[in-house]
């Protein structure tokens, strides 16, 4: 779901809207960071779909002040533990 629904469809659709204004000068511009266990697979996805950032270190990504939103696109049974 995270791959097809969000990375392939939703993120590009948001970008095509041209930085939607959220009010008070704040605009939405998603810059996904792909996080997973297998870096080669993450890099292959990034090459096909455009995110510039990949990581196998979730803690480092969550500690990064430039990352404002955590979106969990794991399968539903894995989300609670994550």
């Amino acid at each position: 779901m995270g791959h097809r629904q969000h990375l392939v469809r939703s993120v590009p659709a948001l970008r095509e809207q041209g930085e939607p204004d959220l009010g008070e000068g704040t605009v939405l511009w998603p810059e996904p960071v792909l996080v997973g266990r297998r870096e080669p697979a993450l890099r292959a996805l990034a090459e096909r779909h455009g995110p510039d950032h990949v990581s196998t270190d979730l803690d480092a990504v969550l500690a990064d002040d430039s990352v404002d939103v955590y979106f969990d696109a794991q399968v539903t049974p894995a989300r609670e533990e994550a």
Side-chain angles (χ1 to χ4, degrees):
M1 182 176 89
H3 173 219
R4 297 260 186 250
Q5 178 61 35
H6 303 293
L7 184 61
V8 174
R9 293 185 185 110
S10 298
V11 170
L14 287 169
R15 288 178 167 200
E16 287 173 15
Q17 290 178 11
E19 299 182 6
D21 187 352
L22 302 177
E24 299 182 15
T26 301
V27 295
L28 175 65
W29 188 254
E31 289 289 342
V33 178
L34 301 180
V35 180
R37 295 182 305 261
R38 298 178 306 138
E39 188 172 354
L42 295 171
R43 293 213 177 277
L45 278 172
E47 287 177 15
R48 277 182 282 176
H49 302 294
D52 295 327
H53 307 288
V54 300
S55 179
T56 57
D57 188 344
L58 177 60
D59 291 332
V61 172
L62 293 175
D64 184 338
D65 289 338
S66 71
V67 177
D68 296 321
V69 175
Y70 169 71
F71 175 77
D72 187 341
Q74 298 182 75
V75 295
T76 302
R79 289 184 187 156
E80 185 175 338
E81 183 179 331

Coordinates of all heavy atoms in Angstrom, one line a residue:
M1 N 0.8 -1.2 0.0 CA 0.0 0.0 0.0 C 0.9 1.3 0.0 O 0.6 2.2 -0.7 CB -0.9 0.0 1.2 CG -1.8 1.2 1.2 SD -3.0 1.2 2.6 CE -2.0 2.0 3.8
G2 N 1.9 1.3 0.8 CA 2.8 2.5 0.9 C 3.4 2.8 -0.5 O 3.6 3.9 -0.9
H3 N 3.8 1.7 -1.2 CA 4.4 1.9 -2.5 C 3.5 2.4 -3.5 O 3.7 3.5 -4.0 CB 5.0 0.5 -2.9 CG 5.6 0.6 -4.3 ND1 5.4 -0.5 -5.1 CD2 6.3 1.5 -5.0 CE1 6.0 -0.2 -6.3 NE2 6.5 1.0 -6.2
R4 N 2.5 1.7 -3.8 CA 1.5 2.1 -4.9 C 0.7 3.3 -4.5 O 0.6 4.2 -5.3 CB 0.6 0.9 -5.3 CG 1.4 -0.3 -5.8 CD 1.3 -0.3 -7.3 NE 1.9 -1.5 -7.8 CZ 3.1 -1.5 -8.5 NH1 3.7 -0.5 -8.7 NH2 3.6 -2.7 -8.9
Q5 N 0.0 3.2 -3.4 CA -1.0 4.2 -3.1 C -0.3 5.5 -2.7 O -0.8 6.6 -3.2 CB -1.9 3.8 -1.9 CG -2.9 4.8 -1.4 CD -3.9 5.2 -2.5 OE1 -4.3 4.3 -3.3 NE2 -4.2 6.4 -2.6
H6 N 0.7 5.5 -2.0 CA 1.3 6.8 -1.5 C 2.5 7.2 -2.3 O 2.5 8.4 -2.7 CB 1.6 6.6 0.0 CG 0.4 6.2 0.8 ND1 -0.6 7.1 1.0 CD2 0.1 5.1 1.4 CE1 -1.6 6.5 1.7 NE2 -1.1 5.3 2.0
L7 N 3.5 6.4 -2.4 CA 4.7 6.8 -3.1 C 4.4 7.1 -4.6 O 4.9 8.1 -5.2 CB 5.8 5.8 -3.0 CG 7.2 6.2 -3.6 CD1 7.7 7.4 -2.9 CD2 8.1 5.0 -3.4
V8 N 3.7 6.2 -5.3 CA 3.4 6.3 -6.7 C 2.3 7.3 -7.0 O 2.3 8.0 -8.0 CB 3.2 4.9 -7.3 CG1 2.8 5.0 -8.8 CG2 4.4 4.0 -7.1
R9 N 1.2 7.3 -6.2 CA 0.1 8.1 -6.6 C -0.1 9.4 -5.7 O -0.2 10.4 -6.3 CB -1.2 7.2 -6.4 CG -1.3 6.1 -7.4 CD -2.6 5.4 -7.2 NE -2.7 4.2 -8.1 CZ -2.6 2.9 -7.7 NH1 -2.6 2.7 -6.4 NH2 -2.7 1.9 -8.5
S10 N -0.1 9.3 -4.4 CA -0.5 10.4 -3.6 C 0.6 11.5 -3.6 O 0.3 12.7 -3.7 CB -0.8 10.0 -2.2 OG -1.9 9.1 -2.2
V11 N 1.8 11.1 -3.3 CA 2.9 12.2 -3.3 C 3.0 12.9 -4.6 O 3.0 14.2 -4.6 CB 4.2 11.5 -2.8 CG1 5.4 12.5 -2.9 CG2 4.1 11.0 -1.4
P12 N 3.1 12.3 -5.7 CA 3.2 13.0 -7.0 C 1.9 13.9 -7.2 O 2.1 15.0 -7.7 CB 3.3 12.0 -8.1 CG 3.9 10.8 -7.4 CD 3.3 10.8 -6.0
A13 N 0.8 13.4 -6.8 CA -0.5 14.2 -7.0 C -0.4 15.5 -6.1 O -0.8 16.6 -6.6 CB -1.7 13.4 -6.6
L14 N 0.1 15.4 -4.9 CA 0.3 16.6 -4.0 C 1.2 17.5 -4.7 O 1.0 18.8 -4.7 CB 0.7 16.2 -2.6 CG -0.3 15.5 -1.8 CD1 0.4 14.9 -0.5 CD2 -1.4 16.5 -1.4
R15 N 2.3 17.0 -5.2 CA 3.3 17.9 -5.9 C 2.8 18.6 -7.1 O 3.0 19.8 -7.4 CB 4.6 17.1 -6.2 CG 5.4 16.8 -5.0 CD 6.6 15.9 -5.3 NE 7.5 15.9 -4.2 CZ 8.7 15.6 -4.3 NH1 9.3 15.3 -5.5 NH2 9.5 15.5 -3.2
E16 N 2.0 17.9 -7.9 CA 1.4 18.4 -9.1 C 0.4 19.6 -8.7 O 0.1 20.4 -9.6 CB 0.6 17.4 -9.9 CG 1.6 16.4 -10.6 CD 0.9 15.3 -11.3 OE1 -0.3 15.3 -11.4 OE2 1.6 14.3 -11.6
Q17 N -0.2 19.6 -7.5 CA -1.1 20.6 -7.1 C -0.4 22.0 -7.0 O -1.0 23.0 -6.9 CB -1.8 20.3 -5.9 CG -2.8 19.2 -6.0 CD -3.5 18.8 -4.7 OE1 -3.4 19.5 -3.7 NE2 -4.2 17.7 -4.7
G18 N 1.0 21.9 -6.9 CA 1.7 23.2 -6.8 C 1.8 23.8 -5.4 O 1.4 24.9 -5.2
E19 N 2.3 23.0 -4.4 CA 2.4 23.5 -3.1 C 1.1 24.1 -2.5 O 1.0 25.3 -2.4 CB 3.5 24.6 -3.0 CG 4.9 24.0 -3.5 CD 6.0 25.1 -3.4 OE1 5.8 26.2 -2.8 OE2 7.1 24.8 -3.8
P20 N 0.2 23.2 -2.2 CA -1.1 23.7 -1.6 C -0.8 24.6 -0.4 O 0.0 24.2 0.5 CB -1.8 22.4 -1.2 CG -1.1 21.3 -2.0 CD 0.3 21.8 -2.3
D21 N -1.5 25.7 -0.3 CA -1.4 26.6 0.8 C -2.2 26.1 2.0 O -3.4 25.9 1.9 CB -1.9 28.0 0.3 CG -1.7 29.1 1.4 OD1 -1.3 28.8 2.5 OD2 -1.9 30.3 1.0
L22 N -1.6 26.0 3.1 CA -2.2 25.5 4.3 C -2.6 26.7 5.2 O -3.1 26.5 6.3 CB -1.3 24.6 5.1 CG -0.9 23.3 4.3 CD1 0.1 22.5 5.2 CD2 -2.0 22.5 3.9
G23 N -2.4 27.9 4.7 CA -2.7 29.1 5.5 C -1.5 29.7 6.2 O -0.5 29.0 6.5
E24 N -1.6 31.0 6.4 CA -0.5 31.8 7.0 C 0.9 31.6 6.4 O 1.9 31.5 7.1 CB -0.5 31.5 8.5 CG -1.8 31.8 9.2 CD -1.7 31.6 10.7 OE1 -0.6 31.4 11.3 OE2 -2.8 31.5 11.3
G25 N 0.9 31.4 5.1 CA 2.2 31.2 4.4 C 2.8 29.9 4.5 O 3.9 29.6 4.0
T26 N 2.1 28.9 5.0 CA 2.6 27.5 5.1 C 2.1 26.8 3.9 O 0.9 26.8 3.6 CB 2.1 26.9 6.4 OG1 2.6 27.6 7.5 CG2 2.7 25.4 6.5
V27 N 3.0 26.1 3.2 CA 2.7 25.3 2.1 C 3.1 23.9 2.3 O 4.0 23.6 3.1 CB 3.3 25.8 0.8 CG1 2.8 27.2 0.4 CG2 4.8 25.8 0.8
L28 N 2.4 23.0 1.7 CA 2.7 21.5 1.7 C 3.6 21.1 0.6 O 3.2 21.3 -0.6 CB 1.3 20.8 1.7 CG 1.5 19.2 1.7 CD1 2.1 18.7 3.0 CD2 0.1 18.6 1.5
W29 N 4.7 20.6 0.9 CA 5.6 20.0 -0.1 C 6.2 18.8 0.4 O 7.2 18.8 1.1 CB 6.7 21.0 -0.6 CG 7.4 20.6 -1.7 CD1 8.7 20.1 -1.7 CD2 7.0 20.5 -3.1 NE1 9.1 19.7 -3.0 CE2 8.0 19.9 -3.9 CE3 5.8 20.8 -3.7 CZ2 7.9 19.7 -5.2 CZ3 5.7 20.6 -5.1 CH2 6.7 20.0 -5.8
P30 N 5.7 17.6 0.1 CA 6.2 16.4 0.7 C 7.6 16.0 0.1 O 7.8 16.1 -1.1 CB 5.2 15.3 0.3 CG 4.4 15.9 -0.9 CD 4.5 17.4 -0.8
E31 N 8.5 15.7 1.0 CA 9.8 15.2 0.7 C 10.0 13.9 1.4 O 10.5 13.9 2.5 CB 10.9 16.2 1.2 CG 10.9 17.5 0.4 CD 11.5 17.3 -1.0 OE1 12.2 16.2 -1.3 OE2 11.3 18.2 -1.9
P32 N 9.5 12.8 0.8 CA 9.6 11.5 1.5 C 11.0 11.1 1.8 O 11.9 11.3 1.1 CB 8.9 10.5 0.6 CG 8.2 11.4 -0.4 CD 8.9 12.7 -0.5
V33 N 11.1 10.4 3.0 CA 12.3 9.7 3.3 C 11.9 8.2 3.4 O 11.1 7.9 4.3 CB 12.9 10.1 4.7 CG1 14.1 9.3 5.1 CG2 13.2 11.6 4.7
L34 N 12.4 7.4 2.6 CA 12.1 6.0 2.6 C 12.9 5.3 3.6 O 14.1 5.4 3.6 CB 12.3 5.4 1.2 CG 11.5 6.0 0.0 CD1 11.9 5.2 -1.3 CD2 10.0 5.9 0.3
V35 N 12.3 4.6 4.5 CA 13.0 3.9 5.6 C 12.6 2.4 5.5 O 11.4 2.1 5.4 CB 12.6 4.5 7.0 CG1 13.3 3.7 8.1 CG2 12.9 5.9 7.1
G36 N 13.6 1.5 5.6 CA 13.3 0.1 5.6 C 14.6 -0.7 5.9 O 15.6 -0.1 6.3
R37 N 14.5 -2.0 5.8 CA 15.6 -2.8 6.2 C 16.6 -3.0 5.1 O 17.8 -3.3 5.4 CB 15.0 -4.2 6.6 CG 14.2 -4.2 7.9 CD 13.7 -5.6 8.2 NE 13.1 -6.2 7.1 CZ 11.7 -6.3 7.0 NH1 11.0 -5.8 7.9 NH2 11.2 -6.9 6.0
R38 N 16.2 -3.0 3.9 CA 17.1 -3.3 2.7 C 17.4 -2.1 1.9 O 16.6 -1.7 1.1 CB 16.4 -4.4 1.9 CG 16.2 -5.7 2.7 CD 15.5 -6.8 1.9 NE 14.2 -6.2 1.3 CZ 13.8 -6.5 0.0 NH1 14.5 -7.2 -0.7 NH2 12.7 -5.9 -0.4
E39 N 18.6 -1.5 2.2 CA 19.0 -0.3 1.5 C 18.9 -0.4 -0.1 O 18.5 0.5 -0.7 CB 20.3 0.2 1.9 CG 20.7 1.5 1.4 CD 21.9 2.1 2.0 OE1 22.5 1.6 2.9 OE2 22.3 3.2 1.5
P40 N 19.4 -1.5 -0.7 CA 19.4 -1.6 -2.1 C 17.9 -1.5 -2.7 O 17.7 -0.9 -3.7 CB 20.0 -3.0 -2.4 CG 20.9 -3.3 -1.3 CD 20.1 -2.7 -0.1
A41 N 17.0 -2.1 -2.0 CA 15.6 -2.1 -2.4 C 15.1 -0.6 -2.3 O 14.3 -0.1 -3.1 CB 14.7 -3.0 -1.6
L42 N 15.4 0.0 -1.2 CA 15.0 1.4 -1.0 C 15.6 2.3 -2.1 O 14.9 3.2 -2.6 CB 15.5 2.0 0.4 CG 14.9 1.3 1.6 CD1 15.6 1.8 2.9 CD2 13.4 1.6 1.7
R43 N 16.9 2.1 -2.4 CA 17.5 2.9 -3.5 C 16.8 2.7 -4.8 O 16.7 3.6 -5.6 CB 19.0 2.7 -3.5 CG 19.7 3.1 -2.3 CD 21.1 3.6 -2.5 NE 21.7 4.1 -1.3 CZ 21.5 5.4 -0.8 NH1 20.7 6.2 -1.4 NH2 22.0 5.7 0.3
A44 N 16.5 1.4 -5.1 CA 15.8 1.1 -6.4 C 14.5 1.8 -6.4 O 14.1 2.4 -7.5 CB 15.6 -0.4 -6.5
L45 N 13.7 1.8 -5.3 CA 12.4 2.6 -5.3 C 12.6 4.1 -5.5 O 11.9 4.7 -6.2 CB 11.7 2.4 -4.0 CG 10.9 1.1 -3.8 CD1 10.4 1.0 -2.4 CD2 9.7 1.1 -4.8
A46 N 13.7 4.6 -4.8 CA 14.0 6.0 -4.9 C 14.3 6.4 -6.4 O 13.9 7.5 -6.9 CB 15.1 6.4 -4.0
E47 N 15.1 5.6 -7.0 CA 15.5 5.8 -8.4 C 14.3 5.9 -9.3 O 14.2 6.7 -10.3 CB 16.5 4.8 -8.9 CG 17.9 5.0 -8.3 CD 18.9 3.9 -8.7 OE1 18.6 3.2 -9.7 OE2 19.9 3.8 -8.1
R48 N 13.3 5.0 -9.1 CA 12.1 4.9 -9.9 C 11.1 6.0 -9.6 O 10.4 6.5 -10.5 CB 11.4 3.6 -9.8 CG 12.0 2.5 -10.7 CD 11.3 1.3 -10.5 NE 11.8 0.7 -9.2 CZ 11.3 -0.4 -8.6 NH1 10.4 -1.1 -9.1 NH2 11.9 -0.8 -7.5
H49 N 11.0 6.5 -8.3 CA 9.9 7.3 -8.0 C 10.3 8.7 -7.4 O 9.4 9.4 -7.0 CB 9.0 6.6 -7.0 CG 8.4 5.3 -7.6 ND1 7.6 5.3 -8.6 CD2 8.7 4.0 -7.3 CE1 7.3 4.1 -9.0 NE2 8.0 3.3 -8.1
G50 N 11.6 9.0 -7.3 CA 12.0 10.3 -7.0 C 12.4 10.7 -5.6 O 13.1 11.7 -5.5
P51 N 12.1 10.1 -4.5 CA 12.6 10.6 -3.2 C 14.1 10.6 -3.2 O 14.7 9.6 -3.7 CB 12.0 9.6 -2.2 CG 10.8 9.0 -2.9 CD 11.2 8.9 -4.3
D52 N 14.7 11.6 -2.7 CA 16.1 11.8 -2.6 C 16.7 11.1 -1.4 O 17.9 10.9 -1.4 CB 16.5 13.2 -2.6 CG 16.1 13.9 -3.9 OD1 16.1 13.3 -5.0 OD2 15.8 15.1 -3.9
H53 N 15.9 10.8 -0.4 CA 16.5 10.3 0.8 C 16.0 8.9 1.2 O 14.8 8.7 1.1 CB 16.1 11.3 1.9 CG 16.4 12.7 1.6 ND1 17.8 13.1 1.7 CD2 15.7 13.7 1.3 CE1 17.8 14.4 1.3 NE2 16.5 14.8 1.1
V54 N 16.9 8.0 1.5 CA 16.6 6.7 2.0 C 17.4 6.4 3.2 O 18.5 7.0 3.4 CB 16.8 5.6 0.9 CG1 16.0 5.8 -0.3 CG2 18.3 5.5 0.6
S55 N 16.9 5.6 4.1 CA 17.7 5.2 5.3 C 17.2 3.9 5.8 O 16.1 3.4 5.6 CB 17.4 6.3 6.4 OG 18.1 5.9 7.6
T56 N 18.2 3.2 6.5 CA 17.8 2.0 7.2 C 17.8 2.2 8.7 O 17.6 1.3 9.5 CB 18.8 0.9 6.9 OG1 20.1 1.3 7.2 CG2 18.8 0.5 5.4
D57 N 17.9 3.5 9.1 CA 18.0 3.9 10.5 C 16.8 4.8 10.9 O 16.9 6.0 10.8 CB 19.3 4.6 10.8 CG 19.5 4.9 12.3 OD1 18.6 4.8 13.1 OD2 20.7 5.2 12.6
L58 N 15.7 4.1 11.3 CA 14.5 4.9 11.7 C 14.7 5.9 12.8 O 14.3 7.0 12.7 CB 13.3 3.9 12.0 CG 12.0 4.6 12.5 CD1 11.5 5.5 11.4 CD2 11.0 3.5 12.9
D59 N 15.5 5.5 13.8 CA 15.8 6.4 14.9 C 16.4 7.7 14.5 O 16.1 8.7 14.9 CB 16.6 5.7 16.0 CG 15.8 4.6 16.7 OD1 14.6 4.7 16.8 OD2 16.5 3.6 17.2
A60 N 17.4 7.5 13.5 CA 18.1 8.7 13.0 C 17.1 9.6 12.2 O 17.2 10.8 12.4 CB 19.3 8.3 12.1
V61 N 16.3 9.0 11.5 CA 15.3 9.8 10.7 C 14.3 10.5 11.6 O 14.0 11.7 11.4 CB 14.5 8.9 9.7 CG1 13.4 9.7 9.0 CG2 15.5 8.4 8.6
L62 N 13.8 9.8 12.6 CA 12.9 10.4 13.6 C 13.6 11.6 14.4 O 12.9 12.5 14.8 CB 12.3 9.4 14.5 CG 11.4 8.4 13.9 CD1 11.0 7.3 14.9 CD2 10.2 9.0 13.2
A63 N 14.9 11.5 14.6 CA 15.6 12.5 15.3 C 16.0 13.7 14.5 O 16.4 14.7 15.0 CB 16.9 11.9 16.0
D64 N 15.8 13.6 13.2 CA 16.2 14.6 12.2 C 15.1 15.7 12.3 O 14.0 15.5 12.0 CB 16.3 14.0 10.8 CG 16.7 15.0 9.8 OD1 16.6 16.2 10.0 OD2 17.2 14.6 8.7
D65 N 15.6 16.9 12.7 CA 14.7 18.1 12.8 C 14.0 18.5 11.5 O 13.0 19.2 11.5 CB 15.4 19.3 13.4 CG 15.7 19.1 14.9 OD1 15.0 18.2 15.5 OD2 16.6 19.7 15.4
S66 N 14.6 18.1 10.4 CA 14.0 18.5 9.1 C 12.8 17.6 8.7 O 12.1 17.9 7.7 CB 15.0 18.5 8.0 OG 15.4 17.2 7.7
V67 N 12.6 16.5 9.4 CA 11.5 15.6 9.2 C 10.4 15.9 10.1 O 10.5 15.8 11.3 CB 11.9 14.1 9.4 CG1 10.8 13.1 9.2 CG2 13.1 13.8 8.4
D68 N 9.3 16.4 9.5 CA 8.1 16.9 10.3 C 7.0 15.9 10.6 O 6.3 16.0 11.6 CB 7.5 18.1 9.7 CG 8.4 19.3 9.6 OD1 9.2 19.5 10.5 OD2 8.4 19.9 8.5
V69 N 6.9 14.9 9.7 CA 5.8 13.9 9.8 C 6.3 12.5 9.7 O 7.1 12.2 8.8 CB 4.7 14.2 8.7 CG1 3.6 13.2 8.7 CG2 4.2 15.6 8.8
Y70 N 5.8 11.6 10.5 CA 6.1 10.2 10.4 C 4.8 9.6 9.9 O 3.8 9.7 10.5 CB 6.5 9.6 11.8 CG 6.6 8.1 11.8 CD1 7.6 7.4 11.1 CD2 5.6 7.4 12.5 CE1 7.6 6.0 11.2 CE2 5.7 6.0 12.5 CZ 6.7 5.3 11.8 OH 6.7 4.0 11.9
F71 N 4.9 8.9 8.7 CA 3.8 8.2 8.1 C 4.2 6.8 8.0 O 5.1 6.4 7.3 CB 3.5 8.8 6.8 CG 2.4 8.0 6.1 CD1 1.1 8.2 6.4 CD2 2.7 7.1 5.1 CE1 0.1 7.4 5.8 CE2 1.7 6.4 4.4 CZ 0.4 6.5 4.8
D72 N 3.5 5.9 8.7 CA 3.7 4.5 8.8 C 2.9 3.8 7.7 O 1.7 3.7 7.8 CB 3.4 4.0 10.2 CG 3.8 2.5 10.4 OD1 4.0 1.8 9.4 OD2 3.9 2.1 11.5
A73 N 3.6 3.3 6.7 CA 2.9 2.6 5.6 C 3.2 1.1 5.6 O 3.1 0.4 4.6 CB 3.4 3.2 4.2
Q74 N 3.5 0.6 6.8 CA 3.7 -0.9 7.0 C 2.3 -1.6 6.8 O 1.3 -0.9 6.9 CB 4.2 -1.2 8.3 CG 5.6 -0.6 8.6 CD 6.1 -1.0 10.0 OE1 6.5 -2.2 10.2 NE2 6.1 -0.1 10.9
V75 N 2.4 -2.9 6.7 CA 1.1 -3.6 6.8 C 0.5 -3.4 8.1 O 1.2 -3.2 9.1 CB 1.4 -5.1 6.5 CG1 1.9 -5.3 5.1 CG2 2.3 -5.7 7.5
T76 N -0.8 -3.4 8.2 CA -1.6 -3.1 9.4 C -1.1 -3.9 10.7 O -0.9 -3.3 11.7 CB -3.1 -3.3 9.2 OG1 -3.5 -2.4 8.1 CG2 -3.9 -2.9 10.4
P77 N -0.9 -5.2 10.6 CA -0.5 -5.9 11.8 C 0.9 -5.5 12.4 O 1.1 -5.7 13.5 CB -0.4 -7.4 11.4 CG -1.3 -7.5 10.2 CD -1.2 -6.1 9.5
A78 N 1.7 -4.8 11.6 CA 3.0 -4.4 12.1 C 3.0 -3.0 12.7 O 4.0 -2.6 13.3 CB 4.0 -4.5 10.9
R79 N 2.0 -2.3 12.5 CA 2.0 -0.9 12.9 C 2.0 -0.6 14.4 O 2.7 0.3 14.9 CB 0.8 -0.1 12.3 CG 0.9 0.0 10.8 CD -0.2 0.8 10.3 NE -0.1 0.8 8.8 CZ -1.1 1.0 8.0 NH1 -2.3 1.2 8.5 NH2 -1.0 1.0 6.7
E80 N 1.2 -1.4 15.2 CA 1.1 -1.2 16.6 C 2.5 -1.3 17.2 O 2.9 -0.4 18.0 CB 0.2 -2.2 17.3 CG 0.0 -1.8 18.7 CD -1.1 -2.7 19.4 OE1 -1.9 -3.3 18.7 OE2 -1.0 -2.8 20.6
E81 N 3.3 -2.3 16.9 CA 4.6 -2.4 17.5 C 5.5 -1.3 17.1 O 6.3 -0.8 17.9 CB 5.2 -3.8 17.1 CG 6.6 -4.0 17.8 CD 7.2 -5.3 17.4 OE1 6.4 -6.3 17.1 OE2 8.4 -5.4 17.4
A82 N 5.4 -0.9 15.8 CA 6.3 0.2 15.3 C 5.9 1.5 16.0 O 6.8 2.3 16.3 CB 6.1 0.4 13.8

